[in-house]
């Protein structure tokens, strides 16, 4: 089959539509000829769909009489050249009754796997296990049996655009649920789904620098980013570049570059200096729901260019590559880490490992702890004014003790400038008796080039709130907000993480300034982004009952709700949000929602791409046996009409 692709390449090139390919894998495309031979692969016609008289209520799932037969899957696999996978859950190795039982492998999964690339290279991805349904937890002597649950039924290990088009056409024509997975980092299960055909784009690798790229009003450095690239891979290319350049990459190196991160907004430690990931996009190559391969930029398919820059991953099409801006010279940040605690001072509270970490400063009084926190909070106005980035996480550590760990990073500042900027903050701390000796600021590359193992599947549960700059001009409301955070931490037992940065429109630059994007307008007004997380005893396990999960979620919602009430002019960041965010259309996209919905309806009248609380998702929901909003159940119509 490889031979077939190899020798067929030029032939395909002759037949393809007019898309500038960024990578070789993009020149291998689906043609009308292949489609004629296998009608299940035929392209879609967006004008036809609304006329379809009787549509099935649910997407087909394994066991349905319309689920493709084994022979059909075999035929599909053959047209794909054999890249169709039918993976069983990795945890199956721990279950004596399962065909894949393998105690040694189970040991590996319990231990060394978490220090390797095992999980990120797993075709079933899915970092969040409650969203999968917890149907096959990795554990010693597991109780119960291991089932597929919310993991996909089949996975296309895509190595060409043609594979992606075939999977899009096949699932659309056969009414199969489609999911798209790169790293599986998505926090609420949008890259997984029961009975789905998953397009796994993880192996589409490659990053190339373009010294002089011109499009629209832009001329300058750029980088071609393939769909399977991870953050650290961009940093590696950046690090090796001569003369030095900067590519914007996420804070954690394992996050994918062209998927959920970029399409949902995408922050980094230099987001307040260069803008969001979506602001960097100059051009995108995309397979749309009808199976076509197109370019979206300022010249063509501007609706997609608008929606894919911030309108949410996995909604409008599958991005096969992106061209993003780069900046001359490496970007250095100067700053420092510090922490204080009411608990044991030997705790090395760590937020983000750019700077050396010192032991925490011990504060005896809880009141003083929160007064110092309020000073950190108020300082956001000053740090964002100079395009800085702050971290500040407050965590309940048990026994009514609390730890605060923080970091400030100032792009393109010298260490002495960073120290001068932070001096007033440390003076305010000292005035409270919090005599932290400010560590010397150091200058480091804005992100570290490490090939990270990637996160291990877990049970994360959190919510997001974007706090508008206007809050810092309204002292009573600012005070109420820090008090609401204190209540969430002390009473709710929640961790409140904060990220202080302001990715304003002025900072975003071209094309965002000239060509509208789907980015949440609330992000433009943001000075601080909160992530409110379930921690400690509230964390659910693979064996928590639905009631326990719901109770944990209800606590999260209660205290997030207080913050929401205080910031009606704020919003939430779709990539780090509550799986059940209320009034999500407003929270995630505000005034952009109607236009995004229009693009979605026009481009995907089949609702082929679906994600809970994503644009145009209102017409469907996953039918689960309980109230936990997992992906473990058939995807069915709700009866909602637009
Ligand atoms: C450890 C960790 C650190 C993080 N750090 C940051 C951070 O620093 N900044 C930040 O902004 N966010 C961060 N996030 C959140 C991150 O942005 C989201 O989880 C994001 O959805 C991940 O995108 P992905 O493509 O890597 O993951 P996936 O789970 O593979 O995909 C996420 C979503 O995008 C869709 N998708 C993936 N690829 C494509 C594609 N090529 N075309 C169309 N749709 C696609 C998927 O279907 C899914 O809906 C972090 C997450 C984790 C787990
Ligand atoms: C997908 O379907 C479209 C429309 O019928 C067709 O033009 C295209 O060739 C198909 N692509 C593949 C890869 O099957
Ligand atoms: C799509 O359908 C419309 C309406 O039925 C028809 O006019 C048009 O020719 C079709 N387009 C293609 C490419 O088949
Ligand atoms: C698809 O075909 C390849 C090559 O023949 C084979 O190795 C693989 O197991 C097949 N996939 C499925 C799901 O049967
Ligand atoms: C997926 O395809 C890539 C590239 O061909 C290959 O290296 C990898 O082993 C495949 N993964 C699986 C699970 O088959
Ligand atoms: C490049 O990588 C090396 C080794 O990890 C590191 O020491 C150096 O600081 C990096 N340089 C930049 C500009 O990122
Ligand atoms: C809480 O305090 C008790 C009694 O002083 C002690 O035994 C326990 O270890 C403490 N727990 C934590 C989490 O610090
Ligand atoms: C902080 O420093 C001040 C002035 O030097 C001193 O009076 C005070 O006791 C110190 N407080 C603590 C908690 O160390």
């Amino acid at each position: 089959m490889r031979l077939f692709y190899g020798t067929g390449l030029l032939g395909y090139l002759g037949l393809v539509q007019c898309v500038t390919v960024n990578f070789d894998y993009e020149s291998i495309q689906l043609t009308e000829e292949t489609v004629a031979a296998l009608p299940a692969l035929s392209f879609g016609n967006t004008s036809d769909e609304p006329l379809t008289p009787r549509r099935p209520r649910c997407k087909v799932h394994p066991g349905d009489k319309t689920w493709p037969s084994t022979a059909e899957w075999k035929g599909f696999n053959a047209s794909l050249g054999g890249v169709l996978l039918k993976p069983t859950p990795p945890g199956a190795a721990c279950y004596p009754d399962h065909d894949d039982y393998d105690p040694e492998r189970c040991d590996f999964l319990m231990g060394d796997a978490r220090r390797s690339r095992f999980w990120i290279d797993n075709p079933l991805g899915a970092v969040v296990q409650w969203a999968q349904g917890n149907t096959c937890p990795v554990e010693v002597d597991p109780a119960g049996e291991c089932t597929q649950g919310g993991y996909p039924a089949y996975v296309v290990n895509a190595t060409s655009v043609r594979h992606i088009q075939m999977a899009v056409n096949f699932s659309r024509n056969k009414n199969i649920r489609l999911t798209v997975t790169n790293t599986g980092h998505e926090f609420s299960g949008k890259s997984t789904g029961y009975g789905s055909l998953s397009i796994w784009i993880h192996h589409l690798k490659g990053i190339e620098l373009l010294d002089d790229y011109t499009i629209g009003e832009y001329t300058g450095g750029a980088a071609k980013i393939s769909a399977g690239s991870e953050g650290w891979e961009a940093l590696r290319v950046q690090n090796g570049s001569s003369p030095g350049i900067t590519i914007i990459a996420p804070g954690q190196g394992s996050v994918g570059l062209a998927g959920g991160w970029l399409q949902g907004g995408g922050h980094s430690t230099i987001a307040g200096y260069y803008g969001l990931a979506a602001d960097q996009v100059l051009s995108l190559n995309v397979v749309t729901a009808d199976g076509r391969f197109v370019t979206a930029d300022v010249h063509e398919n501007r609706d997609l260019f608008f929606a894919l820059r911030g309108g949410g991953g996995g909604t409008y099409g599958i991005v096969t590559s992106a061209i993003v801006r780069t900046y001359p010279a490496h970007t250095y940040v100067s700053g420092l880490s510090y922490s204080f605690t009411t608990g044991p001072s030997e705790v090395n509270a760590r937020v983000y490992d750019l700077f050396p970490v010192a032991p925490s400063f011990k504060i005896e009084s809880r009141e003083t702890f929160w007064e110092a926190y309020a000073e950190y909070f108020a300082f956001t106005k000053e740090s964002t004014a100079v395009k800085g980035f702050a971290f500040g996480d407050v965590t309940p550590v048990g026994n009514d003790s609390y730890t605060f760990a923080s970091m400030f990073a100032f792009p393109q500042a010298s260490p002495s400038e960073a120290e001068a900027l932070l001096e007033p903050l440390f003076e305010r701390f000292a005035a409270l008796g919090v005599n932290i000796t400010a560590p010397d600021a150091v200058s480091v590359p804005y992100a570290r080039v490490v090939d990270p193992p990637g996160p291990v599947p877990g049970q994360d549960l959190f919510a997001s709130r974007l706090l508008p700059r206007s809050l810092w001009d309204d002292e009573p409301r600012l005070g109420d907000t820090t008090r609401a955070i204190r209540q969430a931490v002390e009473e709710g037992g929640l961790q409140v993480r904060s990220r202080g940065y302001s990715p304003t429109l002025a900072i975003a630059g071209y094309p965002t300034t000239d060509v509208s994007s789907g980015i949440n307008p609330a992000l433009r007004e943001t000075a601080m982004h909160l992530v409110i997380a379930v921690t400690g005893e509230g964390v659910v396990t693979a064996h928590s009952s639905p009631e326990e999960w719901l109770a944990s979620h209800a606590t999260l919602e209660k205290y997030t709700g207080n913050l929401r009430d205080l910031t009606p002019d704020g919003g939430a960041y779709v990539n780090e949000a509550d799986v059940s965010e209320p009034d999500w259309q407003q929270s995630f996209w505000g005034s952009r929602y109607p236009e995004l919905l229009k693009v979605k309806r026009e481009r995907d009248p089949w609702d082929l791409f679906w994600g809970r609380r994503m644009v145009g998702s209102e017409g469907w929901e996953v039918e689960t046996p309980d109230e936990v909003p997992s992906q473990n159940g058939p995807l069915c119509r709700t009866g909602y009409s637009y």
Side-chain angles (χ1 to χ4, degrees):
M1 276 329 240
R2 288 211 77 81
L3 192 71
F4 168 71
Y5 288 155
T7 53
L9 188 65
L10 288 178
Y12 283 117
L13 281 172
L15 284 165
V16 296
Q17 301 133 40
C18 198
V19 174
T20 310
V21 302
N22 291 324
F23 293 95
D24 284 348
Y25 64 77
E26 291 181 324
S27 39
I28 308 168
Q29 297 170 20
L30 188 63
T31 62
E32 303 285 353
E33 281 173 356
T34 323
V35 172
L38 192 52
L41 294 181
S42 65
F43 289 110
N45 182 341
T46 46
S47 324
D48 279 351
E49 173 57 16
L51 305 175
T52 309
R54 277 187 58 82
R55 302 180 297 182
R57 194 179 76 84
C58 300
K59 302 268 178 180
V60 293
H61 47 95
D64 278 356
K65 52 181 194 306
T66 46
W67 180 254
S69 65
T70 309
E72 271 179 289
W73 284 110
K74 220 173 150 186
F76 179 50
N77 191 13
S79 7
L80 285 165
V83 299
L84 187 68
L85 310 173
K86 196 172 190 297
T88 46
C94 304
Y95 292 71
D97 293 339
H98 201 284
D99 289 347
D100 293 354
Y101 180 57
D102 179 346
E104 254 181 58
R105 187 160 182 80
C106 179
D107 275 353
F108 167 73
L109 296 178
M110 299 282 303
D112 289 346
R114 59 183 60 230
R115 289 178 287 278
S116 76
R117 281 186 56 88
F118 174 84
W119 290 109
I120 199 166
D121 285 340
N122 187 280
L124 295 178
V127 159
V128 181
Q129 291 293 285
W130 60 258
Q132 181 275 338
N134 277 318
T135 66
C136 189
V138 173
E139 54 199 9
V140 194
D141 297 328
E145 47 166 14
C146 160
T147 58
Q148 199 74 11
Y151 284 133
Y154 286 90
V155 175
V156 173
N157 185 2
T159 56
S160 69
V161 158
R162 182 169 182 267
H163 288 150
I164 297 175
Q165 292 178 300
M166 288 177 133
V168 162
N169 282 1
F170 189 77
S171 51
R172 189 194 60 244
N173 294 336
K174 295 281 181 185
N175 189 33
I176 296 166
R177 182 170 177 194
L178 183 70
T179 50
V180 183
T181 307
N182 178 17
T183 67
H185 278 39
E186 206 284 323
F187 280 116
S188 55
K190 284 165 205 149
S191 41
T192 193
Y194 164 77
S196 66
L197 172 63
S198 163
I199 304 182
W200 189 37
I201 54 174
H202 183 65
H203 287 286
L204 300 177
K205 292 287 191 186
I207 296 175
E208 286 170 26
L209 299 180
L210 307 167
D211 291 339
D212 205 9
Y213 181 77
T214 298
I215 190 163
E217 286 162 33
Y218 183 82
T219 296
K224 288 190 211 175
I225 309 275
S226 65
S229 299
E230 295 161 38
W232 69 275
E233 292 169 314
L235 294 172
R236 186 180 55 182
V237 170
Q238 166 192 289
N239 192 304
S241 63
S242 165
I245 53 126
T246 293
I247 308 181
I248 308 297
Q252 168 103 5
S254 57
V255 176
L257 287 167
W261 178 66
L262 174 154
Q263 294 169 41
H267 61 77
S268 68
T269 45
I270 47 178
Y273 195 82
Y274 288 125
L276 299 165
D279 293 327
Q280 315 307 323
V281 178
L282 297 169
S283 174
L284 296 162
N285 280 353
V286 191
V287 174
T288 46
D290 57 6
R292 308 279 174 186
F293 181 50
V294 303
T295 295
D297 60 27
V298 296
H299 302 304
E300 48 184 330
N301 298 299
R302 279 174 68 117
D303 59 331
L304 287 173
F305 189 58
F306 158 76
L308 287 163
R309 285 150 58 235
T315 305
Y316 315 93
I318 299 172
V319 169
T320 63
S321 66
I323 298 181
V324 300
R325 286 189 314 206
T326 60
Y327 299 89
H330 293 311
T331 299
Y332 290 85
V333 295
S334 285
L336 53 84
S337 291
Y338 65 97
S339 63
F340 49 79
T341 181
T342 67
S345 59
E346 59 279 8
V347 176
N348 279 335
R350 175 175 284 279
V351 272
Y352 188 69
D353 55 2
L354 272 184
F355 306 115
V357 178
S360 290
F361 182 86
K362 166 86 178 172
I363 300 181
E364 295 302 335
S365 144
R366 221 201 288 175
E367 290 309 316
T368 310
F369 177 91
W370 287 107
E371 283 167 27
Y373 179 77
E375 292 295 355
Y376 156 79
F377 209 83
F379 191 72
T380 303
K381 187 167 178 158
E382 283 135 284
S383 66
T384 54
V386 293
K387 304 181 182 180
F389 191 91
F391 267 65
D393 296 357
V394 52
T395 313
V397 292
N399 283 357
D400 288 331
S401 291
Y402 305 92
T403 288
F404 177 70
S406 175
M407 167 206 104
F408 282 94
F410 299 102
Q412 311 297 42
S414 68
S416 55
E417 282 166 341
E419 285 166 7
L421 284 164
L422 289 168
E423 202 177 290
L425 177 63
F426 284 90
E427 277 169 8
R428 284 169 224 166
F429 288 153
L432 295 167
V434 178
N435 298 345
I436 306 178
T437 315
D440 292 338
V442 291
S443 174
V444 296
Y446 89 87
R448 279 154 50 105
V449 189
V450 280
D451 169 1
V456 174
Q459 306 287 345
D460 285 284
L461 192 55
F462 49 71
S464 149
R465 196 68 197 158
L466 299 169
L467 308 181
R469 277 190 296 281
S470 62
L471 190 62
W472 278 260
D473 297 325
D474 180 348
E475 260 184 49
R477 195 155 67 106
L478 191 67
D480 289 345
T481 304
T482 49
R483 272 187 293 278
I485 291 172
R486 176 175 183 173
Q487 204 187 11
V489 174
E490 289 190 350
E491 197 181 283
L494 299 164
Q495 180 190 46
V496 178
R497 307 173 196 157
S498 66
R499 308 285 177 260
Y501 63 99
S502 275
T504 61
L505 193 60
I507 282 168
Y510 183 85
T512 310
T513 43
D514 294 46
V515 188
S516 119
S517 79
I519 293 171
N520 190 349
L523 270 164
R524 297 293 171 217
E525 300 304 320
T526 292
M528 185 181 266
H529 163 199
L530 296 182
V531 171
I532 305 104
V534 170
T535 186
E537 285 168 14
V539 176
V540 294
T541 72
H543 301 290
S544 298
S545 65
E547 292 70 29
E548 286 165 327
W549 191 95
L550 292 165
S552 201
H553 183 267
T555 303
L556 178 66
E557 169 52 26
K558 176 179 169 188
Y559 295 97
T560 305
N562 293 342
L563 289 160
R564 213 180 275 129
D565 292 345
L566 282 163
T567 54
D569 46 345
Y573 175 44
V574 62
N575 282 337
E576 291 174 338
D578 181 0
V579 63
S580 295
E581 175 76 21
D583 195 13
W584 53 272
Q585 296 91 336
Q586 174 63 31
S587 284
F588 299 160
W589 290 291
S591 59
R592 294 278 190 253
Y593 195 77
E595 195 177 346
L596 288 169
L597 183 62
K598 185 163 174 277
V599 177
K600 172 67 177 174
R601 305 299 304 150
E602 284 170 5
R603 289 290 183 166
D604 183 14
W606 305 275
D607 291 334
L608 181 66
F609 302 114
W610 185 88
R612 183 177 162 84
R613 281 155 167 60
M614 299 304 274
V615 171
S617 62
E618 295 91 340
W620 300 80
E621 69 189 8
V622 176
E623 295 189 348
T624 53
D626 51 51
E627 303 284 300
V628 178
S630 79
Q631 294 306 312
N632 186 14
L635 182 61
C636 300
R637 293 178 195 275
T638 57
Y640 182 98
S641 64
Y642 293 98

